[in-house]
Amino acid sequence: MGIFYDEENRLFFIETANTTMCLAVVDEEGFLNNVYYGSRVGRDDLFYLIGGKENPSVPSRNDRDRGCYFDKARLEFPSGGTGDYRTPAITLRDPDGHDSSLFTYVSYRISETKEDMYAFMADGRKVRMPATFAGDSKAACLEIELEEKVLGIRAFLSYSVFEDSDAIVKSVKVVNNSDTTVMIDRLLSSNLDLDLSAFGNHQPELITLSGSWARERRLDRRPISRGNSEVYSTRGESSHQFQPFSALCEKNTDDSHGTVYAQNLIWSGNFVCGAGMDQFETVRSYIGISPEHFTWDLKPGESFQAPEAVLVFTEEGFDGMSHIFHDLYRSHLIRSPYLHMERPVLINNWEATYFNFNTEKLLAIASDAKKYGIEMLVMDDGWFGKRDDDNSSLGDWHVNEKKLPGGIKRLSDELEKIGMKFGIWFEPEMISPDSDLYRAHPDWAISSPGRVPTRIRNQYVLDITRSEVRDYVYECVAKILRSADISYVKWDMNRQLADLGSLGLKGSEMGRLSYLYTLGVYELQGRLLEEFPDLLLENCSGGGARYDAGMLFFSPQIWCSDDTDAYERLSIQAGTEMIYPLSTMGAHVSASPNHISGRVMPFDVRGAVALSGTFGYELDITAIPDEERAAIPEQVAIYHRVGDIVREGDYYRIARVSDIGLYDAWMSVAKDKKRALLTYVQCKGSPQTGKRLIKLKGLDPEKRYDLKLIGADTEGSRFCSHGKKHAWNVFAPGCVSGRSLMNAGILMPVLWGEYGQMMLEITEREN
Ligand code: GLA
């Protein structure tokens, strides 16, 4: 790992254990090109890869056809308007409206210190932006300074690598050294031009994650062609609809094999992320803040910081990609003290009661829950103002004494007596038109003059770009947290931004609003964690509309989706797990039939699916069938026994129900490969589909392992083959080598009925 500059050939080598990125300073004028990114190569004079020192690589000496160069070159920071007609990484506009620019090399700086990233609110408040940090690992960092000579703008491109990671993190800062304001119309965090040979000279495919409310992060795969394929958010959040992520891969790339070039943005607001092929089959892949609803009037002396992007290259398929993302985020992004800790098993009252609860009901749930091994009660929406449905009171964060006589303090005291921890829900960024806050401060809602703001879930968004609004919001949350013993906060955000307008911004500053909104969220959550460092924060946004790396800088877990149907969750979680560690994935067992889908599903299947995330319950424990209640202690015990494998281990995808329709399966394998957990969920009890051979992954071929069925009826009453019931040991091998388990596999029975699950605890036999 390291960063090296070959002065003679003007080449930068950014190296991780298994990858190299090589950047070249080209020509007398100093254009920055990306010469190579892929598997590790030597520190050779790779200049030959871009056509050596011949035309068209020497635009300065080819005045007649300068455009040929820009049209073709693999530019690291394309600015557009001077001959590169592909998607630019930056677009600047001078006061007279000219929008061409050209950045050339000035200098570089290599260091071993990864600096924190900061940006500024409109009132000048400095906010730490989410970004990777070195932590316990060594880092190597490169800053390349480029200049736009005509406009007097400098761009600082930053690259960092860590000793224990194959990812490269990039960001860009733009500084105005001129004496006029220059408008930034577009500034992406990363541009990567790749030759088709990176994909075996075949048309590459693009993987993105898309969805909607209650259907987040489903896998999309499509070939890319000439022209761009893009995903984006303009909703002021990373969104249910798309992820700030894409992966370019070879046609045959699967979970275990093949080339992947992935990118993910550490940002929770608007973004664009895409790829496309040009006339020369060069593939341009890019990611950054969306240019929609964005302009930044960069005043003299000001700087603008774009968020950090993570680039991942692997030849080990999507599992290999996931390992790099998961390890990077666990070691270099998530700061919470809970990261490596067993999280309290919680019960949340949302699906149990919705708005219809009081202290008595919550305590009834809590006392029952305690008896069955659950450790924390989370009081969800409806405890404040006069909120008996979702039409009022957001902003009025004072307790509803009719529902909770004696207030939050009494509830938390009673919970303490029972021996339960206490968590609470907030939606701090919002304001209901029917609220005392809105009646007092209608101008605190984001809105555009002369326009009645669009209502979504009958609410508006607070203009947290203004410091007085942010301070109010902060105090509302902090005051409640100071008033009682509260261990956990679920921070929700249930609508998107629209009608963009802020009284705190004037004229050309208005284009800053979306960016500053996201920064405002970061400022609030950063401040909260400073005052309450022991708080377990779970982010949420109408389920998983703000499930992104930016929020993981603040909270170690995020509510994955409002869809708690275990069958639906298989696909939602499979998409989420491609990028984010399982330890971050809020997953709960809910009641059957499921409230959203009406699907009926056995309790053990619901448990198995939730056990691959941060485990908990989302149901009225006093009202579920006795046999379900009786099964809770064992589920909780499994969580305590194997939770560390899920939290800390390597994740492997074995089968996707979205591919094969019949079943879904995945594994977590401890880093030392001594223990593993396989979860297999049958989705269709189809006869005549015969045996299901599962090849395990990630084990040590030389070790011998025992396989133990956990969390199911080991007598075999659920197993059925040709009408006969079998015990699990008919299918299970005895103690077998990792080599056989991975190469030959194990036989899974066709289970009786529509849905079934099998969790196998896999443990190394010591002798
Ligand atoms: C969102 C969350 C839910 C619940 C409701 C409350 O939809 O995702 O879990 O908290 O809000 O209104």
Side-chain angles (χ1 to χ4, degrees):
M1 182 279 306
I3 295 179
F4 308 91
Y5 182 52
D6 169 354
E7 198 147 3
E8 194 189 332
N9 297 304
R10 300 211 292 173
L11 293 171
F12 292 98
F13 291 90
I14 302 164
E15 295 173 354
T16 69
N18 299 299
T19 75
T20 300
M21 180 183 279
C22 178
L23 305 177
V25 180
V26 174
D27 204 6
E28 289 91 26
E29 284 176 85
F31 306 109
L32 192 65
N33 281 31
N34 193 311
V35 178
Y36 174 79
Y37 181 36
S39 286
R40 188 77 183 253
V41 294
R43 273 173 230 153
D44 300 310
D45 179 6
L46 297 183
F47 216 95
Y48 68 88
L49 288 171
I50 52 172
K53 282 131 192 161
E54 302 301 316
N55 268 333
S57 306
V58 281
S60 316
R61 278 175 271 143
N62 181 18
D63 226 13
R64 202 189 90 89
D65 270 326
R66 253 172 100 83
C68 280
Y69 169 76
F70 294 116
D71 219 9
K72 206 170 193 174
R74 286 171 51 195
L75 296 168
E76 180 64 4
F77 192 55
S79 50
T82 49
D84 177 359
Y85 297 96
R86 296 162 291 181
T87 300
I90 183 165
T91 307
L92 299 174
R93 205 152 29 89
D94 75 10
D96 297 321
H98 304 111
D99 69 356
S100 53
S101 59
L102 187 59
F103 282 84
T104 49
Y105 177 78
V106 178
S107 68
Y108 77 95
R109 190 162 64 93
I110 292 176
S111 79
E112 288 179 1
T113 311
K114 172 90 167 62
E115 281 160 21
D116 297 341
M117 263 171 59
Y118 291 94
F120 295 90
M121 297 301 299
D123 53 38
R125 235 181 257 179
K126 193 172 171 182
V127 180
R128 182 162 174 202
M129 282 176 74
T132 54
F133 47 79
D136 295 332
S137 162
K138 277 193 183 147
C141 305
L142 165 68
E143 187 179 79
I144 299 181
E145 182 184 3
L146 304 177
E147 71 172 332
E148 209 303 321
K149 290 195 178 104
V150 176
L151 296 172
I153 300 288
R154 301 255 156 157
F156 295 87
L157 312 188
S158 302
Y159 302 81
S160 301
V161 286
F162 306 110
E163 197 174 29
D164 56 2
S165 174
D166 265 326
I168 297 177
V169 294
K170 280 175 79 170
S171 66
V172 188
K173 187 164 90 177
V174 172
V175 181
N176 186 350
N177 286 332
S178 78
D179 51 12
T180 48
T181 296
V182 171
M183 195 61 97
I184 307 174
D185 283 345
R186 174 186 187 93
L187 179 59
L188 302 184
S189 297
S190 174
N191 179 81
L192 179 63
D193 287 355
L194 292 163
D195 190 80
L196 205 58
S197 60
F199 306 97
N201 293 313
H202 290 296
Q203 192 177 13
E205 296 190 332
L206 186 70
I207 303 279
T208 55
L209 299 170
S210 64
S212 70
W213 173 75
R215 196 162 40 78
E216 296 91 337
R217 293 176 289 285
R218 305 291 178 111
L219 202 71
D220 269 343
R221 184 171 185 157
R222 54 189 175 281
I224 64 155
S225 187
R226 289 176 183 77
N228 287 354
S229 224
E230 248 179 33
V231 292
Y232 58 88
S233 167
T234 53
R235 294 168 189 262
E237 56 183 5
S238 43
S239 89
H240 296 106
Q241 286 70 19
F242 296 116
Q243 260 294 307
F245 156 86
S246 70
L248 280 164
C249 59
E250 287 175 307
K251 197 171 177 182
N252 297 327
T253 295
D254 60 21
D255 288 315
S256 312
H257 320 92
T259 295
V260 182
Y261 286 90
Q263 51 184 356
N264 190 205
L265 195 65
I266 305 181
W267 183 245
S268 310
N270 295 344
F271 72 87
V272 66
C273 171
M277 223 157 47
D278 69 9
Q279 56 186 330
F280 304 112
E281 283 85 36
T282 301
V283 179
R284 175 163 287 184
S285 168
Y286 51 92
I287 191 164
I289 292 175
S290 169
E292 297 293 326
H293 303 296
F294 171 81
T295 50
W296 196 278
D297 51 330
L298 195 68
K299 302 196 170 98
E302 258 190 358
S303 66
F304 177 80
Q305 177 69 59
E308 195 164 77
V310 178
L311 301 191
V312 166
F313 167 79
T314 178
E315 286 178 323
E316 290 172 11
F318 303 123
D319 284 350
M321 172 193 80
S322 304
H323 295 164
I324 297 171
F325 277 125
H326 291 191
D327 287 343
L328 181 81
Y329 291 160
R330 283 185 294 209
S331 303
H332 300 285
L333 181 72
I334 303 171
R335 301 173 297 167
S336 169
Y338 291 92
L339 170 64
H340 298 296
M341 278 160 63
E342 211 169 77
R343 319 283 160 80
V345 177
L346 65 83
I347 185 158
N348 179 303
N349 76 308
W350 177 240
E351 287 192 31
T353 65
Y354 296 103
F355 296 96
N356 186 19
F357 63 87
N358 54 26
T359 302
E360 216 179 311
K361 179 68 197 171
L362 294 177
L363 291 177
I365 292 176
S367 326
D368 244 17
K370 171 72 187 170
K371 280 187 230 152
Y372 292 90
I374 297 171
E375 296 150 318
M376 178 161 76
L377 175 89
V378 175
M379 176 171 67
D380 211 279
D381 193 357
W383 57 265
F384 52 93
K386 56 179 177 92
R387 192 156 163 98
D388 290 326
D389 55 33
D390 56 10
N391 288 313
S392 81
S393 303
L394 292 168
D396 298 344
W397 297 105
H398 42 80
V399 72
N400 180 339
E401 288 267 349
K402 277 196 208 130
K403 286 184 179 174
L404 306 176
I408 302 275
K409 175 77 175 118
R410 187 187 143 225
L411 178 61
S412 88
D413 287 349
E414 293 299 323
L415 287 169
E416 203 181 325
K417 282 185 209 153
I418 299 172
M420 288 283 275
K421 290 180 195 270
F422 178 36
I424 191 168
W425 177 98
F426 285 99
E427 198 182 351
E429 301 154 60
M430 297 293 149
I431 181 166
S432 302
D434 180 8
S435 66
D436 295 338
L437 186 66
Y438 189 73
R439 283 181 280 277
H441 299 286
D443 63 294
W444 280 17
I446 287 180
S447 64
S448 189
R451 225 174 269 291
V452 178
T454 307
R455 291 187 190 197
I456 301 178
R457 210 194 191 202
N458 212 359
Q459 63 197 54
Y460 299 144
V461 183
L462 277 169
D463 182 5
I464 55 167
T465 67
R466 287 161 64 185
S467 48
E468 66 274 31
V469 180
R470 247 180 8 262
D471 290 346
Y472 171 85
V473 165
Y474 180 76
E475 268 313 302
C476 289
V477 178
K479 213 159 111 189
I480 299 281
L481 296 189
R482 287 178 207 128
S483 75
D485 191 4
I486 299 175
S487 312
Y488 159 110
V489 162
K490 177 175 170 187
W491 181 302
D492 209 341
M493 189 247 193
N494 277 319
R495 68 153 282 178
Q496 299 70 46
L497 272 59
D499 308 292
L500 297 176
S502 164
L503 286 185
L505 300 170
K506 284 186 190 53
S508 62
E509 291 172 350
M510 208 56 79
R512 299 178 171 209
L513 200 152
S514 298
Y515 177 96
L516 289 177
Y517 181 85
T518 305
L519 209 58
V521 176
Y522 294 152
E523 200 259 354
L524 282 168
Q525 295 205 356
R527 215 195 297 181
L528 195 69
L529 293 171
E530 233 166 73
E531 183 174 347
F532 305 98
D534 296 330
L535 186 71
L536 173 55
L537 185 62
E538 173 154 344
N539 268 291
C540 172
S541 181
R546 217 162 45 183
Y547 204 131
D548 55 63
M551 299 320 290
L552 288 180
F553 191 65
F554 300 93
S555 66
Q557 57 196 60
I558 302 179
W559 184 227
C560 190
S561 175
D562 276 348
D563 192 340
T564 55
D565 172 333
Y567 171 75
E568 298 287 318
R569 272 291 182 118
L570 291 174
S571 304
I572 296 171
Q573 294 185 181
T576 309
E577 290 155 353
M578 285 186 89
I579 321 171
Y580 305 112
L582 278 61
S583 63
T584 67
M585 208 164 61
H588 299 164
V589 176
S590 63
S592 177
N594 183 270
H595 288 196
I596 287 184
S597 65
R599 183 169 280 115
V600 173
M601 172 81 71
F603 198 69
D604 63 329
V605 181
R606 287 178 266 154
V609 175
L611 276 163
S612 75
T614 67
F615 187 61
Y617 293 85
E618 188 100 4
L619 43 71
D620 184 353
I621 192 170
T622 68
I624 57 172
D626 289 345
E627 60 277 16
E628 294 192 355
R629 220 178 356 258
I632 291 177
E634 199 194 346
Q635 287 182 344
V636 172
I638 291 174
Y639 170 71
H640 288 310
R641 202 168 68 245
V642 298
D644 62 322
I645 310 178
V646 174
R647 209 168 48 243
E648 314 285 351
D650 289 329
Y651 158 80
Y652 292 88
R653 178 50 54 178
I654 310 282
R656 292 171 199 275
V657 64
S658 52
D659 280 347
I660 45 158
L662 295 174
Y663 55 88
D664 202 81
W666 64 94
M667 284 179 76
S668 289
V669 182
K671 291 277 181 195
D672 62 8
K673 297 184 184 291
K674 287 174 186 269
R675 295 158 69 221
L677 179 72
L678 165 75
T679 308
Y680 167 87
V681 176
Q682 170 174 297
C683 302
K684 214 170 165 202
S686 191
Q688 280 294 65
T689 49
K691 302 163 211 142
R692 294 165 184 191
L693 204 53
I694 296 284
K695 291 185 180 180
L696 304 193
K697 289 183 179 179
L699 302 173
D700 182 341
E702 306 303 329
K703 287 190 188 343
R704 297 188 69 78
Y705 293 95
D706 287 313
L707 278 68
K708 188 173 155 218
L709 188 61
I710 55 174
D713 178 355
T714 42
E715 294 308 305
S717 64
R718 301 264 324 268
F719 309 140
C720 175
S721 174
H722 302 289
K724 288 187 203 138
K725 289 180 180 172
H726 295 292
W728 156 240
N729 57 21
V730 173
F731 307 96
C735 177
V736 186
S737 68
R739 195 180 299 283
S740 296
L741 290 169
M742 292 191 292
N743 293 340
I746 58 169
L747 205 51
M748 305 305 281
V750 178
L751 304 173
W752 179 249
E754 202 65 330
Y755 295 103
Q757 63 80 27
M758 295 176 75
M759 273 184 288
L760 294 184
E761 194 176 348
I762 301 159
T763 317
E764 182 191 3
R765 170 93 49 109
E766 287 294 351
N767 45 47

